[in-house]
Amino acid sequence: MRNFLLARLLQAGLVAIVVGALCFVLMRVLPGDAAMRIAAGRYGPDARIAEAAEKVRLELGLDRPLAAQFLEWLGSLLRLDLGHSLVTGSPVVHELKVQLGASVWLAASALALSLLIGPVIGLFSGLKAGGAIDRLGLAGAAIFRAIPPFVLGLMLMLVFSKQLGWLPPAGFGSPREMLLPALTLALGLAAMSSRVMRNSVAAVAKAPYFAFARYKGLPESVVVLRHGLRNAAIPVVSYTGLQAVYLVEGVVVVESLFAYPGIGHALVHAVVERDIPMVQGTALLMGLMFVVIATIVDLLTQWLDPRVRRTA
Amino acid sequence: MRTLRVLFTAVALGVTAALNPAHAAVLKVAGPWEIAGTDPAQTGYVFSRLQVAETLVTANHEGNLVPALAKQWSVSSDGLIWRFTLREDAQFHDGTPVTPQAAAASLKRALAGVGVLSQAPLGEITSQGRDVVIRLTKPFSALPAYLVHFSTIVLAPSSFDAAGKVTQIVGSGPYKVKSLTAPARLELQASGRWWGGKSAIEEVSYLAVGQGETRALMAESGEADLVFSMLPVSVNRLKANPKLDVQIATIPRTRILKVNAASPFFDQIEERQAISAAIDRAGLTKVILRNADLAATQLFPPAMKGWNSPEVQPLVRDVDKAKELLATAGWKAASDGILEKDGKRFSVTLLTYSSWPELPPIATALQAQLRQVGIEVKVSVGNSSEIPARHQDGTLEMGLISRLYSIVPDPVGTLLQDYGPGGSDWGSMGWDNKEIQSVVEQLAATSDAAARAPLQSRAVEILQRELPSIPVTWSELAIVSNKRITGVQVDPLEVNYGLSAIRWAE
């Protein structure tokens, strides 16, 4: 166990350096003048950007040698200092706290909601594969997977905000505002996880040990809970881990639609505006989150299926 | 099963209660602008529009300059020394008085930064008695108009850190900042110290909502009382809603085609006139902007009194004339219909950007319209900084841009930039016209309305004939308010949204 965590810690350090270096190189090989982009990001399209860009170039020392700039970033990183945003001027850590924090909350809510929907439908579909619930579940999954998130989001807004007046179509800060964007994401996620769960349950339901549990005369609920769920959960846990990663980094459209100040939205702005410390800080933290999520998934899988530990 | 039902009902009741908190008396405002930082040159407009911070001078809805923190101003006979006398009763939100020293310090900071002040011929900013004294290096009549700009907001000394960086906005307006969660939310509270009296609404909450469709839904669902900048496609639907009021004003912003008059495609006046004649402005505005009145028949919209001239020949569509003009300029159609001259095809790239969502669709419409007269256009949508960048390195052929003529309320400020020698980022390119330069210089030096009128007409005439930038459409600003509030007025210059005058409806 200790070795396992130590390996993961090493992996995290490696990820930090590789991600940092990659971002550094990629941001600098992008076409276009960084000072111009930063100036446009700061002062908007009505400003005299060319003149502002000269001031930006001087202020930020963008003309210094690349190696010096990279070493400086690495040095700051060792002191756990992610620097300041080139556009807003506030510390990157502060921006991440607000925006990555908001995204993590949104992702967690979406994941929790999707787990309430997907695996439950998957369980009932899988237990009677080919039955009515299974076919309905398949149709629902196909529909919700096929609708792009911004269309689904707009539909939910029309129903819950405009028609019913229950939930606000935008904003952040309270569960009331989180519900619609979380539901938009959760429906898409549940569409997939319900099918993964269904296949997994169907496989378990056909397994000899499952039949044996019934022959023993165990009540159906005990058969499903003790012998079905745990075995069927393994692929779902792995898949949910992947979904969590996708959620944190890939929800730009939903964040923009619901005016939710998440990291996806911030990262797109940062790349367009060449806000290098912000991009590096975000990528770094996301890389580390990937390692953490993978670790959690591995630990959960080991707990669910002790055979993994023995063969490892 | 019964337990389940009870449980479900309990949860449903709980959720409903949590979702519908008692109506609090907060004015909820939504707009498209994100608040990226507190530097006035960057986001001062949010704080000026929402009446947190004030400038020395402001503009009323007709565009006339009126007192704000300065109760009066005067200029020396040689036009070089301006005195702005501050009102005695103004206080910052931290309780300290608005002194000429504090105002001068704010302005000096603005002068050193990126805002408009650095573009005026400013020498020295000092304070004397109740006055802020500004010395110029040459006469410049538009100075008070420059002091309306949001980058010149006057902030309390407590707004700055030791290095002179703005760390918080401590202004003098009717509302003070309660909390700011960049980039999306700003909560305001009535300051209770404002010289202009008490505001009727105690608390205001601003939310930045980037998507136009979401903003419309915010208004329709009653989640926002006041929503700015509606998309043309939503306006009719919102007008039909009995709970909402929609107000629309033409703003001094024009979408123009910036052409490189130094390139072989646009160096002749006939070529630029032909492009203008090929554009179907009425069709464009009717379909994309849903308002045919926005067709820009000249550079400045009718709302800009003295700058919109009824005498100039309006720019209208005339495809035959366009073809004729192009033929005069020496362009002949090749076998595929695209024009050629000296073996060179009339094929150009039209660069635009998506900061304004309507620009890319307008660009593609222009592409189709120009094809009809034999001009091949490739549309390229990039970042707004590409236009100045390509202007600087001389590679821009054609750009579709949205230009604001009230960056300061006197358009002379913008004209000085745009049509001066060598042109500018958002103005002419490769077009040098000595007459307009002299006209604009004269305009900048005099504030006498009678002397300015003929100069303004002359400037408009030159721009209309020479077309260094080709006007395409004017712009409008649509504001939606809930019937829960009254007293909402649209400010076409977008200087101040007058929140302090808004009241809850009876």
Side-chain angles (χ1 to χ4, degrees), chain B residues 263-276 325-326 329-331 341 346 375 470:
Chain B
S263 77
F265 304 113
F266 309 110
D267 55 344
Q268 297 181 54
I269 192 168
E270 290 83 7
E271 290 161 334
R272 301 194 295 267
Q273 288 172 341
I275 302 281
S276 173
L325 283 164
L326 287 164
W331 293 95
K341 183 162 88 173
F346 205 138
I375 297 173
I470 301 165

mmCIF file with all atom_site columns, all heavy atoms in Angstrom, chain B residues 263-276 325-326 329-331 341 346 375 470:
data_model
loop_
_atom_site.group_PDB
_atom_site.id
_atom_site.type_symbol
_atom_site.label_atom_id
_atom_site.label_alt_id
_atom_site.label_comp_id
_atom_site.label_asym_id
_atom_site.label_entity_id
_atom_site.label_seq_id
_atom_site.pdbx_PDB_ins_code
_atom_site.Cartn_x
_atom_site.Cartn_y
_atom_site.Cartn_z
_atom_site.occupancy
_atom_site.B_iso_or_equiv
_atom_site.pdbx_formal_charge
_atom_site.auth_seq_id
_atom_site.auth_comp_id
_atom_site.auth_asym_id
_atom_site.auth_atom_id
_atom_site.pdbx_PDB_model_num
ATOM 1   N N   . SER B 1 263 ? -3.229  48.679 -50.626 1.00 0.00 ? 263 SER B N   1
ATOM 2   C CA  . SER B 1 263 ? -3.134  47.434 -51.395 1.00 0.00 ? 263 SER B CA  1
ATOM 3   C C   . SER B 1 263 ? -3.682  47.683 -52.798 1.00 0.00 ? 263 SER B C   1
ATOM 4   O O   . SER B 1 263 ? -4.470  48.606 -53.009 1.00 0.00 ? 263 SER B O   1
ATOM 5   C CB  . SER B 1 263 ? -3.938  46.337 -50.708 1.00 0.00 ? 263 SER B CB  1
ATOM 6   O OG  . SER B 1 263 ? -5.315  46.537 -50.967 1.00 0.00 ? 263 SER B OG  1
ATOM 7   N N   . PRO B 1 264 ? -3.271  46.868 -53.782 1.00 0.00 ? 264 PRO B N   1
ATOM 8   C CA  . PRO B 1 264 ? -3.739  47.108 -55.159 1.00 0.00 ? 264 PRO B CA  1
ATOM 9   C C   . PRO B 1 264 ? -5.257  46.945 -55.299 1.00 0.00 ? 264 PRO B C   1
ATOM 10  O O   . PRO B 1 264 ? -5.823  47.373 -56.293 1.00 0.00 ? 264 PRO B O   1
ATOM 11  C CB  . PRO B 1 264 ? -2.987  46.053 -55.968 1.00 0.00 ? 264 PRO B CB  1
ATOM 12  C CG  . PRO B 1 264 ? -2.475  45.063 -54.984 1.00 0.00 ? 264 PRO B CG  1
ATOM 13  C CD  . PRO B 1 264 ? -2.298  45.790 -53.697 1.00 0.00 ? 264 PRO B CD  1
ATOM 14  N N   . PHE B 1 265 ? -5.908  46.356 -54.292 1.00 0.00 ? 265 PHE B N   1
ATOM 15  C CA  . PHE B 1 265 ? -7.357  46.142 -54.410 1.00 0.00 ? 265 PHE B CA  1
ATOM 16  C C   . PHE B 1 265 ? -8.169  47.383 -54.026 1.00 0.00 ? 265 PHE B C   1
ATOM 17  O O   . PHE B 1 265 ? -9.279  47.559 -54.480 1.00 0.00 ? 265 PHE B O   1
ATOM 18  C CB  . PHE B 1 265 ? -7.791  44.976 -53.515 1.00 0.00 ? 265 PHE B CB  1
ATOM 19  C CG  . PHE B 1 265 ? -7.067  43.707 -53.801 1.00 0.00 ? 265 PHE B CG  1
ATOM 20  C CD1 . PHE B 1 265 ? -6.182  43.164 -52.870 1.00 0.00 ? 265 PHE B CD1 1
ATOM 21  C CD2 . PHE B 1 265 ? -7.264  43.042 -54.999 1.00 0.00 ? 265 PHE B CD2 1
ATOM 22  C CE1 . PHE B 1 265 ? -5.502  41.995 -53.136 1.00 0.00 ? 265 PHE B CE1 1
ATOM 23  C CE2 . PHE B 1 265 ? -6.587  41.865 -55.281 1.00 0.00 ? 265 PHE B CE2 1
ATOM 24  C CZ  . PHE B 1 265 ? -5.693  41.339 -54.341 1.00 0.00 ? 265 PHE B CZ  1
ATOM 25  N N   . PHE B 1 266 ? -7.614  48.192 -53.125 1.00 0.00 ? 266 PHE B N   1
ATOM 26  C CA  . PHE B 1 266 ? -8.425  49.294 -52.590 1.00 0.00 ? 266 PHE B CA  1
ATOM 27  C C   . PHE B 1 266 ? -7.714  50.640 -52.686 1.00 0.00 ? 266 PHE B C   1
ATOM 28  O O   . PHE B 1 266 ? -8.095  51.587 -52.012 1.00 0.00 ? 266 PHE B O   1
ATOM 29  C CB  . PHE B 1 266 ? -8.786  49.013 -51.130 1.00 0.00 ? 266 PHE B CB  1
ATOM 30  C CG  . PHE B 1 266 ? -9.385  47.660 -50.914 1.00 0.00 ? 266 PHE B CG  1
ATOM 31  C CD1 . PHE B 1 266 ? -8.692  46.659 -50.244 1.00 0.00 ? 266 PHE B CD1 1
ATOM 32  C CD2 . PHE B 1 266 ? -10.659 47.375 -51.399 1.00 0.00 ? 266 PHE B CD2 1
ATOM 33  C CE1 . PHE B 1 266 ? -9.245  45.407 -50.067 1.00 0.00 ? 266 PHE B CE1 1
ATOM 34  C CE2 . PHE B 1 266 ? -11.226 46.128 -51.219 1.00 0.00 ? 266 PHE B CE2 1
ATOM 35  C CZ  . PHE B 1 266 ? -10.513 45.137 -50.553 1.00 0.00 ? 266 PHE B CZ  1
ATOM 36  N N   . ASP B 1 267 ? -6.679  50.745 -53.538 1.00 0.00 ? 267 ASP B N   1
ATOM 37  C CA  . ASP B 1 267 ? -5.941  52.006 -53.578 1.00 0.00 ? 267 ASP B CA  1
ATOM 38  C C   . ASP B 1 267 ? -6.675  53.087 -54.357 1.00 0.00 ? 267 ASP B C   1
ATOM 39  O O   . ASP B 1 267 ? -6.391  54.259 -54.201 1.00 0.00 ? 267 ASP B O   1
ATOM 40  C CB  . ASP B 1 267 ? -4.526  51.778 -54.130 1.00 0.00 ? 267 ASP B CB  1
ATOM 41  C CG  . ASP B 1 267 ? -4.538  51.098 -55.481 1.00 0.00 ? 267 ASP B CG  1
ATOM 42  O OD1 . ASP B 1 267 ? -5.594  50.532 -55.846 1.00 0.00 ? 267 ASP B OD1 1
ATOM 43  O OD2 . ASP B 1 267 ? -3.522  51.127 -56.185 1.00 0.00 ? 267 ASP B OD2 1
ATOM 44  N N   . GLN B 1 268 ? -7.648  52.683 -55.201 1.00 0.00 ? 268 GLN B N   1
ATOM 45  C CA  . GLN B 1 268 ? -8.379  53.707 -55.948 1.00 0.00 ? 268 GLN B CA  1
ATOM 46  C C   . GLN B 1 268 ? -9.723  53.965 -55.282 1.00 0.00 ? 268 GLN B C   1
ATOM 47  O O   . GLN B 1 268 ? -10.385 53.028 -54.820 1.00 0.00 ? 268 GLN B O   1
ATOM 48  C CB  . GLN B 1 268 ? -8.605  53.237 -57.382 1.00 0.00 ? 268 GLN B CB  1
ATOM 49  C CG  . GLN B 1 268 ? -7.323  53.043 -58.158 1.00 0.00 ? 268 GLN B CG  1
ATOM 50  C CD  . GLN B 1 268 ? -7.606  52.590 -59.574 1.00 0.00 ? 268 GLN B CD  1
ATOM 51  O OE1 . GLN B 1 268 ? -8.358  53.224 -60.297 1.00 0.00 ? 268 GLN B OE1 1
ATOM 52  N NE2 . GLN B 1 268 ? -7.023  51.464 -59.951 1.00 0.00 ? 268 GLN B NE2 1
ATOM 53  N N   . ILE B 1 269 ? -10.131 55.219 -55.309 1.00 0.00 ? 269 ILE B N   1
ATOM 54  C CA  . ILE B 1 269 ? -11.382 55.603 -54.670 1.00 0.00 ? 269 ILE B CA  1
ATOM 55  C C   . ILE B 1 269 ? -12.562 54.846 -55.301 1.00 0.00 ? 269 ILE B C   1
ATOM 56  O O   . ILE B 1 269 ? -13.507 54.456 -54.613 1.00 0.00 ? 269 ILE B O   1
ATOM 57  C CB  . ILE B 1 269 ? -11.543 57.142 -54.757 1.00 0.00 ? 269 ILE B CB  1
ATOM 58  C CG1 . ILE B 1 269 ? -12.669 57.632 -53.865 1.00 0.00 ? 269 ILE B CG1 1
ATOM 59  C CG2 . ILE B 1 269 ? -11.752 57.613 -56.158 1.00 0.00 ? 269 ILE B CG2 1
ATOM 60  C CD1 . ILE B 1 269 ? -12.655 59.148 -53.701 1.00 0.00 ? 269 ILE B CD1 1
ATOM 61  N N   . GLU B 1 270 ? -12.477 54.567 -56.625 1.00 0.00 ? 270 GLU B N   1
ATOM 62  C CA  . GLU B 1 270 ? -13.572 53.855 -57.302 1.00 0.00 ? 270 GLU B CA  1
ATOM 63  C C   . GLU B 1 270 ? -13.754 52.456 -56.728 1.00 0.00 ? 270 GLU B C   1
ATOM 64  O O   . GLU B 1 270 ? -14.866 51.951 -56.648 1.00 0.00 ? 270 GLU B O   1
ATOM 65  C CB  . GLU B 1 270 ? -13.306 53.738 -58.813 1.00 0.00 ? 270 GLU B CB  1
ATOM 66  C CG  . GLU B 1 270 ? -13.404 55.031 -59.605 1.00 0.00 ? 270 GLU B CG  1
ATOM 67  C CD  . GLU B 1 270 ? -12.124 55.850 -59.537 1.00 0.00 ? 270 GLU B CD  1
ATOM 68  O OE1 . GLU B 1 270 ? -11.119 55.350 -58.978 1.00 0.00 ? 270 GLU B OE1 1
ATOM 69  O OE2 . GLU B 1 270 ? -12.132 56.989 -60.045 1.00 0.00 ? 270 GLU B OE2 1
ATOM 70  N N   . GLU B 1 271 ? -12.628 51.847 -56.376 1.00 0.00 ? 271 GLU B N   1
ATOM 71  C CA  . GLU B 1 271 ? -12.718 50.467 -55.842 1.00 0.00 ? 271 GLU B CA  1
ATOM 72  C C   . GLU B 1 271 ? -13.457 50.467 -54.503 1.00 0.00 ? 271 GLU B C   1
ATOM 73  O O   . GLU B 1 271 ? -14.308 49.618 -54.244 1.00 0.00 ? 271 GLU B O   1
ATOM 74  C CB  . GLU B 1 271 ? -11.305 49.890 -55.670 1.00 0.00 ? 271 GLU B CB  1
ATOM 75  C CG  . GLU B 1 271 ? -10.638 49.606 -57.007 1.00 0.00 ? 271 GLU B CG  1
ATOM 76  C CD  . GLU B 1 271 ? -9.114  49.467 -56.907 1.00 0.00 ? 271 GLU B CD  1
ATOM 77  O OE1 . GLU B 1 271 ? -8.515  50.037 -55.983 1.00 0.00 ? 271 GLU B OE1 1
ATOM 78  O OE2 . GLU B 1 271 ? -8.539  48.800 -57.759 1.00 0.00 ? 271 GLU B OE2 1
ATOM 79  N N   . ARG B 1 272 ? -13.131 51.451 -53.664 1.00 0.00 ? 272 ARG B N   1
ATOM 80  C CA  . ARG B 1 272 ? -13.792 51.508 -52.347 1.00 0.00 ? 272 ARG B CA  1
ATOM 81  C C   . ARG B 1 272 ? -15.271 51.852 -52.505 1.00 0.00 ? 272 ARG B C   1
ATOM 82  O O   . ARG B 1 272 ? -16.130 51.296 -51.825 1.00 0.00 ? 272 ARG B O   1
ATOM 83  C CB  . ARG B 1 272 ? -13.068 52.524 -51.458 1.00 0.00 ? 272 ARG B CB  1
ATOM 84  C CG  . ARG B 1 272 ? -11.589 52.184 -51.248 1.00 0.00 ? 272 ARG B CG  1
ATOM 85  C CD  . ARG B 1 272 ? -10.972 52.958 -50.125 1.00 0.00 ? 272 ARG B CD  1
ATOM 86  N NE  . ARG B 1 272 ? -10.908 54.387 -50.349 1.00 0.00 ? 272 ARG B NE  1
ATOM 87  C CZ  . ARG B 1 272 ? -9.865  55.049 -50.885 1.00 0.00 ? 272 ARG B CZ  1
ATOM 88  N NH1 . ARG B 1 272 ? -8.791  54.366 -51.285 1.00 0.00 ? 272 ARG B NH1 1
ATOM 89  N NH2 . ARG B 1 272 ? -9.892  56.352 -51.021 1.00 0.00 ? 272 ARG B NH2 1
ATOM 90  N N   . GLN B 1 273 ? -15.543 52.762 -53.454 1.00 0.00 ? 273 GLN B N   1
ATOM 91  C CA  . GLN B 1 273 ? -16.944 53.113 -53.695 1.00 0.00 ? 273 GLN B CA  1
ATOM 92  C C   . GLN B 1 273 ? -17.712 51.917 -54.260 1.00 0.00 ? 273 GLN B C   1
ATOM 93  O O   . GLN B 1 273 ? -18.886 51.721 -53.950 1.00 0.00 ? 273 GLN B O   1
ATOM 94  C CB  . GLN B 1 273 ? -17.035 54.312 -54.644 1.00 0.00 ? 273 GLN B CB  1
ATOM 95  C CG  . GLN B 1 273 ? -16.606 55.609 -53.973 1.00 0.00 ? 273 GLN B CG  1
ATOM 96  C CD  . GLN B 1 273 ? -16.502 56.789 -54.941 1.00 0.00 ? 273 GLN B CD  1
ATOM 97  O OE1 . GLN B 1 273 ? -16.413 56.602 -56.159 1.00 0.00 ? 273 GLN B OE1 1
ATOM 98  N NE2 . GLN B 1 273 ? -16.480 57.999 -54.386 1.00 0.00 ? 273 GLN B NE2 1
ATOM 99  N N   . ALA B 1 274 ? -17.016 51.121 -55.086 1.00 0.00 ? 274 ALA B N   1
ATOM 100 C CA  . ALA B 1 274 ? -17.672 49.945 -55.662 1.00 0.00 ? 274 ALA B CA  1
ATOM 101 C C   . ALA B 1 274 ? -18.027 48.933 -54.567 1.00 0.00 ? 274 ALA B C   1
ATOM 102 O O   . ALA B 1 274 ? -19.114 48.350 -54.564 1.00 0.00 ? 274 ALA B O   1
ATOM 103 C CB  . ALA B 1 274 ? -16.754 49.302 -56.693 1.00 0.00 ? 274 ALA B CB  1
ATOM 104 N N   . ILE B 1 275 ? -17.108 48.732 -53.640 1.00 0.00 ? 275 ILE B N   1
ATOM 105 C CA  . ILE B 1 275 ? -17.386 47.803 -52.537 1.00 0.00 ? 275 ILE B CA  1
ATOM 106 C C   . ILE B 1 275 ? -18.632 48.288 -51.786 1.00 0.00 ? 275 ILE B C   1
ATOM 107 O O   . ILE B 1 275 ? -19.555 47.529 -51.491 1.00 0.00 ? 275 ILE B O   1
ATOM 108 C CB  . ILE B 1 275 ? -16.198 47.765 -51.536 1.00 0.00 ? 275 ILE B CB  1
ATOM 109 C CG1 . ILE B 1 275 ? -14.911 47.356 -52.213 1.00 0.00 ? 275 ILE B CG1 1
ATOM 110 C CG2 . ILE B 1 275 ? -16.519 46.861 -50.346 1.00 0.00 ? 275 ILE B CG2 1
ATOM 111 C CD1 . ILE B 1 275 ? -14.726 45.923 -52.476 1.00 0.00 ? 275 ILE B CD1 1
ATOM 112 N N   . SER B 1 276 ? -18.649 49.594 -51.514 1.00 0.00 ? 276 SER B N   1
ATOM 113 C CA  . SER B 1 276 ? -19.777 50.150 -50.787 1.00 0.00 ? 276 SER B CA  1
ATOM 114 C C   . SER B 1 276 ? -21.084 49.937 -51.560 1.00 0.00 ? 276 SER B C   1
ATOM 115 O O   . SER B 1 276 ? -22.106 49.577 -50.983 1.00 0.00 ? 276 SER B O   1
ATOM 116 C CB  . SER B 1 276 ? -19.528 51.638 -50.543 1.00 0.00 ? 276 SER B CB  1
ATOM 117 O OG  . SER B 1 276 ? -20.654 52.232 -49.986 1.00 0.00 ? 276 SER B OG  1
ATOM 118 N N   . LEU B 1 325 ? -17.916 50.964 -61.693 1.00 0.00 ? 325 LEU B N   1
ATOM 119 C CA  . LEU B 1 325 ? -16.784 51.580 -60.987 1.00 0.00 ? 325 LEU B CA  1
ATOM 120 C C   . LEU B 1 325 ? -15.557 50.672 -61.035 1.00 0.00 ? 325 LEU B C   1
ATOM 121 O O   . LEU B 1 325 ? -14.430 51.138 -61.224 1.00 0.00 ? 325 LEU B O   1
ATOM 122 C CB  . LEU B 1 325 ? -17.158 51.861 -59.532 1.00 0.00 ? 325 LEU B CB  1
ATOM 123 C CG  . LEU B 1 325 ? -18.059 53.075 -59.274 1.00 0.00 ? 325 LEU B CG  1
ATOM 124 C CD1 . LEU B 1 325 ? -18.674 53.014 -57.885 1.00 0.00 ? 325 LEU B CD1 1
ATOM 125 C CD2 . LEU B 1 325 ? -17.258 54.367 -59.443 1.00 0.00 ? 325 LEU B CD2 1
ATOM 126 N N   . LEU B 1 326 ? -15.796 49.375 -60.868 1.00 0.00 ? 326 LEU B N   1
ATOM 127 C CA  . LEU B 1 326 ? -14.680 48.426 -60.885 1.00 0.00 ? 326 LEU B CA  1
ATOM 128 C C   . LEU B 1 326 ? -14.049 48.375 -62.270 1.00 0.00 ? 326 LEU B C   1
ATOM 129 O O   . LEU B 1 326 ? -12.825 48.279 -62.415 1.00 0.00 ? 326 LEU B O   1
ATOM 130 C CB  . LEU B 1 326 ? -15.146 47.043 -60.436 1.00 0.00 ? 326 LEU B CB  1
ATOM 131 C CG  . LEU B 1 326 ? -15.419 46.930 -58.931 1.00 0.00 ? 326 LEU B CG  1
ATOM 132 C CD1 . LEU B 1 326 ? -16.223 45.688 -58.606 1.00 0.00 ? 326 LEU B CD1 1
ATOM 133 C CD2 . LEU B 1 326 ? -14.105 46.931 -58.141 1.00 0.00 ? 326 LEU B CD2 1
ATOM 134 N N   . ALA B 1 329 ? -11.889 51.238 -62.738 1.00 0.00 ? 329 ALA B N   1
ATOM 135 C CA  . ALA B 1 329 ? -10.627 51.059 -62.023 1.00 0.00 ? 329 ALA B CA  1
ATOM 136 C C   . ALA B 1 329 ? -9.728  50.035 -62.703 1.00 0.00 ? 329 ALA B C   1
ATOM 137 O O   . ALA B 1 329 ? -8.633  49.748 -62.212 1.00 0.00 ? 329 ALA B O   1
ATOM 138 C CB  . ALA B 1 329 ? -10.915 50.637 -60.582 1.00 0.00 ? 329 ALA B CB  1
ATOM 139 N N   . GLY B 1 330 ? -10.198 49.461 -63.827 1.00 0.00 ? 330 GLY B N   1
ATOM 140 C CA  . GLY B 1 330 ? -9.349  48.573 -64.608 1.00 0.00 ? 330 GLY B CA  1
ATOM 141 C C   . GLY B 1 330 ? -9.527  47.084 -64.319 1.00 0.00 ? 330 GLY B C   1
ATOM 142 O O   . GLY B 1 330 ? -8.737  46.257 -64.771 1.00 0.00 ? 330 GLY B O   1
ATOM 143 N N   . TRP B 1 331 ? -10.580 46.704 -63.588 1.00 0.00 ? 331 TRP B N   1
ATOM 144 C CA  . TRP B 1 331 ? -10.803 45.289 -63.285 1.00 0.00 ? 331 TRP B CA  1
ATOM 145 C C   . TRP B 1 331 ? -11.713 44.671 -64.343 1.00 0.00 ? 331 TRP B C   1
ATOM 146 O O   . TRP B 1 331 ? -12.740 45.250 -64.685 1.00 0.00 ? 331 TRP B O   1
ATOM 147 C CB  . TRP B 1 331 ? -11.436 45.133 -61.899 1.00 0.00 ? 331 TRP B CB  1
ATOM 148 C CG  . TRP B 1 331 ? -10.524 45.524 -60.773 1.00 0.00 ? 331 TRP B CG  1
ATOM 149 C CD1 . TRP B 1 331 ? -10.474 46.728 -60.153 1.00 0.00 ? 331 TRP B CD1 1
ATOM 150 C CD2 . TRP B 1 331 ? -9.531  44.716 -60.158 1.00 0.00 ? 331 TRP B CD2 1
ATOM 151 N NE1 . TRP B 1 331 ? -9.516  46.737 -59.194 1.00 0.00 ? 331 TRP B NE1 1
ATOM 152 C CE2 . TRP B 1 331 ? -8.913  45.499 -59.148 1.00 0.00 ? 331 TRP B CE2 1
ATOM 153 C CE3 . TRP B 1 331 ? -9.069  43.399 -60.324 1.00 0.00 ? 331 TRP B CE3 1
ATOM 154 C CZ2 . TRP B 1 331 ? -7.877  45.019 -58.344 1.00 0.00 ? 331 TRP B CZ2 1
ATOM 155 C CZ3 . TRP B 1 331 ? -8.058  42.928 -59.523 1.00 0.00 ? 331 TRP B CZ3 1
ATOM 156 C CH2 . TRP B 1 331 ? -7.468  43.729 -58.548 1.00 0.00 ? 331 TRP B CH2 1
ATOM 157 N N   . LYS B 1 341 ? -6.926  42.044 -62.784 1.00 0.00 ? 341 LYS B N   1
ATOM 158 C CA  . LYS B 1 341 ? -6.246  43.222 -63.332 1.00 0.00 ? 341 LYS B CA  1
ATOM 159 C C   . LYS B 1 341 ? -4.754  42.911 -63.364 1.00 0.00 ? 341 LYS B C   1
ATOM 160 O O   . LYS B 1 341 ? -4.203  42.462 -62.346 1.00 0.00 ? 341 LYS B O   1
ATOM 161 C CB  . LYS B 1 341 ? -6.528  44.445 -62.462 1.00 0.00 ? 341 LYS B CB  1
ATOM 162 C CG  . LYS B 1 341 ? -5.922  45.731 -63.012 1.00 0.00 ? 341 LYS B CG  1
ATOM 163 C CD  . LYS B 1 341 ? -6.549  46.977 -62.402 1.00 0.00 ? 341 LYS B CD  1
ATOM 164 C CE  . LYS B 1 341 ? -5.866  47.405 -61.146 1.00 0.00 ? 341 LYS B CE  1
ATOM 165 N NZ  . LYS B 1 341 ? -6.350  48.688 -60.639 1.00 0.00 ? 341 LYS B NZ  1
ATOM 166 N N   . PHE B 1 346 ? -8.959  39.420 -58.102 1.00 0.00 ? 346 PHE B N   1
ATOM 167 C CA  . PHE B 1 346 ? -9.517  40.207 -56.992 1.00 0.00 ? 346 PHE B CA  1
ATOM 168 C C   . PHE B 1 346 ? -9.990  39.231 -55.915 1.00 0.00 ? 346 PHE B C   1
ATOM 169 O O   . PHE B 1 346 ? -11.167 38.924 -55.784 1.00 0.00 ? 346 PHE B O   1
ATOM 170 C CB  . PHE B 1 346 ? -10.673 41.090 -57.472 1.00 0.00 ? 346 PHE B CB  1
ATOM 171 C CG  . PHE B 1 346 ? -10.894 42.311 -56.607 1.00 0.00 ? 346 PHE B CG  1
ATOM 172 C CD1 . PHE B 1 346 ? -11.158 43.549 -57.170 1.00 0.00 ? 346 PHE B CD1 1
ATOM 173 C CD2 . PHE B 1 346 ? -10.821 42.207 -55.228 1.00 0.00 ? 346 PHE B CD2 1
ATOM 174 C CE1 . PHE B 1 346 ? -11.348 44.682 -56.372 1.00 0.00 ? 346 PHE B CE1 1
ATOM 175 C CE2 . PHE B 1 346 ? -11.005 43.322 -54.421 1.00 0.00 ? 346 PHE B CE2 1
ATOM 176 C CZ  . PHE B 1 346 ? -11.269 44.569 -54.999 1.00 0.00 ? 346 PHE B CZ  1
ATOM 177 N N   . ILE B 1 375 ? -15.938 39.767 -56.808 1.00 0.00 ? 375 ILE B N   1
ATOM 178 C CA  . ILE B 1 375 ? -14.843 39.817 -55.839 1.00 0.00 ? 375 ILE B CA  1
ATOM 179 C C   . ILE B 1 375 ? -14.896 38.558 -54.971 1.00 0.00 ? 375 ILE B C   1
ATOM 180 O O   . ILE B 1 375 ? -15.938 38.222 -54.423 1.00 0.00 ? 375 ILE B O   1
ATOM 181 C CB  . ILE B 1 375 ? -14.956 41.079 -54.955 1.00 0.00 ? 375 ILE B CB  1
ATOM 182 C CG1 . ILE B 1 375 ? -14.822 42.331 -55.836 1.00 0.00 ? 375 ILE B CG1 1
ATOM 183 C CG2 . ILE B 1 375 ? -13.891 41.076 -53.857 1.00 0.00 ? 375 ILE B CG2 1
ATOM 184 C CD1 . ILE B 1 375 ? -15.077 43.623 -55.124 1.00 0.00 ? 375 ILE B CD1 1
ATOM 185 N N   . ILE B 1 470 ? -15.486 51.596 -44.797 1.00 0.00 ? 470 ILE B N   1
ATOM 186 C CA  . ILE B 1 470 ? -16.791 51.556 -45.443 1.00 0.00 ? 470 ILE B CA  1
ATOM 187 C C   . ILE B 1 470 ? -17.865 51.191 -44.416 1.00 0.00 ? 470 ILE B C   1
ATOM 188 O O   . ILE B 1 470 ? -17.862 50.086 -43.877 1.00 0.00 ? 470 ILE B O   1
ATOM 189 C CB  . ILE B 1 470 ? -16.764 50.532 -46.606 1.00 0.00 ? 470 ILE B CB  1
ATOM 190 C CG1 . ILE B 1 470 ? -15.681 50.950 -47.612 1.00 0.00 ? 470 ILE B CG1 1
ATOM 191 C CG2 . ILE B 1 470 ? -18.118 50.445 -47.274 1.00 0.00 ? 470 ILE B CG2 1
ATOM 192 C CD1 . ILE B 1 470 ? -15.302 49.878 -48.592 1.00 0.00 ? 470 ILE B CD1 1
#
